[in-house]
Amino acid sequence: MASNGQVPQLTGWTGSPILVGVIGGSGLYKLDNIQVVAEVSVSTPWGAPSSPVTIAALPSGVHVAFLARHGRTHSITPSAVPALANIAALKHLGVRAILAFSAVGSLREEIRPKDFVIPSQIIDRTKGVRRATFFGEGNETGVVAHAGFGDPFSEELRGTVEDIVRETLSQTNPSVQVHGNKTVVCMEGPQFSTRAESLMYRAWGGDIINMSVLPESKLAREAEIAYVLIATATDYDAWRPASAAVNVAEVLESLKANVAASQHVTLALLDRINALVCDDSSPAVANIKDSMRMAIMTRPEFIPDIAKENLRFLHPWFARE
Ligand SMILES: CSC[C@H]1O[C@H](OP(=O)(O)O)[C@H](O)[C@@H]1O
Ligand SMILES: Nc1ncnc2[nH]cnc12
């Protein structure tokens, strides 16, 4: 913070690369108890992110980045989140790992409202209205890439995040349970599901449901960023016959406690995840780095210059081939 108490507003970041980014979901619009050192308005070839990126300094001196998915005033619908700009902005700052928070509905009795879930799989129920790739659309028409997405979350970080979340909450929020290896259904929204849909998602093997993990996680994969979802349950969606179907009032009731717990969890995670990704040879970094080079089908001489120029924002190696 500047000596006049104002946070410097920047248009770019010239400090050392920021390795860990946090995307805050519903209710989580800022990080508490971490010193904010700057706010950066990053402009990307895919437009402006949902909010300026807050740069914060941990007591260790490590810098981290924070972005509010729906904007700081929650004014962006799930379908309209500028996910390409959000991921590109974080990548441009140097981010190698994203911890993405999300409020979710529970499709299982044992996942109770206020519990935390670190999922391992996704079922896509979005409706094709969200641009879901950096390759082959918009100014990037003419370059085709197929990223691997069989394991949609970082397999190298997911278990560690789950352990740290469990360890932290056992001290700060002992009644909260932490669930791993679950499947998140991502629906379009903004309306919640019908009871029939909710029952169908259970039959498909869905454990939790949100409106946000796609295309965010796909774009992170294309940006070669390790991505982990930290889901906090707010409700039982619409599948329980004897209970009212989910509504916003019910979500808000759990959200306050979930956000307070998420702040504890974030503080505990940031230094440790940063330590895991600061080494180039760590599996979390090495296993994803350059993965997109192998995923591009179009020969470099056929890729339009504008596409190369834009994609260089994400992958500096791109236009030089
Ligand atoms: C407020 S209920 C529906 C809304 O909440 C979740 O948002 P986020 O993932 O950003 O926490 C869910 O995905 C919906 O967008
Ligand atoms: N039941 C639900 N469906 C979709 N997104 C949600 N976010 C929180 N609860 C949800």
Side-chain angles (χ1 to χ4, degrees):
M1 204 177 294
S3 53
N4 61 3
Q6 302 268 326
V7 175
Q9 308 288 309
L10 310 176
T11 52
W13 176 249
T14 51
S16 46
I18 292 160
L19 303 182
V20 181
V22 175
I23 299 182
S26 296
L28 190 64
Y29 307 118
K30 63 184 179 63
L31 294 181
D32 287 343
N33 307 317
I34 305 183
Q35 190 199 353
V36 174
V37 296
E39 280 186 3
V40 188
S41 297
V42 186
S43 115
T44 84
W46 301 280
S50 302
S51 70
V53 182
T54 304
I55 310 293
L58 303 176
S60 61
V62 164
H63 286 121
V64 296
F66 176 85
L67 195 55
R69 181 183 290 121
H70 304 280
R72 289 175 184 162
T73 54
H74 204 130
S75 44
I76 306 173
T77 68
S79 308
V81 168
L84 284 93
N86 288 352
I87 297 297
L90 293 176
K91 175 74 181 187
H92 202 63
L93 294 170
V95 164
R96 295 175 170 188
I98 290 176
L99 303 172
F101 284 84
S102 173
V104 301
S106 168
L107 300 170
R108 302 286 158 195
E109 195 64 49
E110 65 276 15
I111 303 176
R112 301 164 309 168
K114 302 194 178 65
D115 280 0
F116 276 58
V117 186
I118 316 299
S120 54
Q121 281 297 324
I122 304 176
I123 295 174
D124 187 358
R125 278 279 296 167
T126 61
K127 299 287 169 76
V129 298
R130 310 174 182 192
R131 180 169 170 187
T133 177
F134 286 108
F135 300 87
E137 292 179 42
N139 280 334
E140 297 70 44
T141 299
V143 49
V144 176
H146 300 285
F149 202 56
D151 294 306
F153 301 105
S154 169
E155 286 299 297
E156 292 78 16
L157 295 182
R158 192 166 59 74
T160 307
V161 168
E162 188 184 324
D163 291 346
I164 296 171
V165 170
R166 185 170 288 114
E167 177 189 304
T168 308
L169 294 176
S170 70
Q171 286 161 25
T172 60
N173 302 65
S175 63
V176 171
Q177 284 180 17
V178 182
H179 310 262
N181 267 321
K182 300 293 179 198
T183 296
V184 53
V185 176
C186 186
M187 60 175 294
E188 189 62 54
Q191 299 83 0
F192 292 115
S193 305
T194 64
R195 289 187 183 275
E197 287 164 339
S198 196
L199 289 165
M200 179 179 75
Y201 299 144
R202 277 166 56 81
W204 284 359
D207 299 302
I208 52 175
I209 181 161
N210 80 355
M211 304 176 192
S212 310
V213 72
L214 294 172
E216 197 171 88
S217 50
K218 287 185 172 174
L219 297 166
R221 180 60 52 87
E222 288 188 347
E224 298 176 358
I225 299 174
Y227 179 100
V228 179
L229 190 76
I230 303 172
T232 58
T234 50
D235 55 86
Y236 275 116
D237 201 44
W239 58 272
R240 278 166 131 204
S243 306
V246 57
N247 57 52
V248 164
E250 186 187 4
V251 169
L252 291 175
E253 219 174 277
S254 301
L255 214 53
K256 201 165 165 221
N258 289 0
V259 168
S262 298
Q263 298 283 4
H264 291 303
V265 159
T266 309
L267 270 185
L269 280 167
L270 288 171
D271 264 323
R272 289 165 76 179
I273 298 302
N274 188 80
L276 279 179
V277 297
C278 68
D279 175 1
D280 285 351
S281 65
S282 76
V285 177
N287 291 355
I288 196 168
K289 191 171 179 332
D290 290 343
S291 57
M292 288 313 292
R293 281 182 192 250
M294 264 70 80
I296 296 169
M297 297 294 289
T298 318
R299 291 222 310 266
E301 62 270 32
F302 296 118
I303 299 176
D305 286 345
I306 176 74
K308 286 184 180 168
E309 187 56 37
N310 286 353
L311 288 165
R312 194 140 58 108
F313 190 87
L314 285 182
H315 299 302
W317 45 263
F318 208 91
R320 302 209 180 89
E321 316 253 295

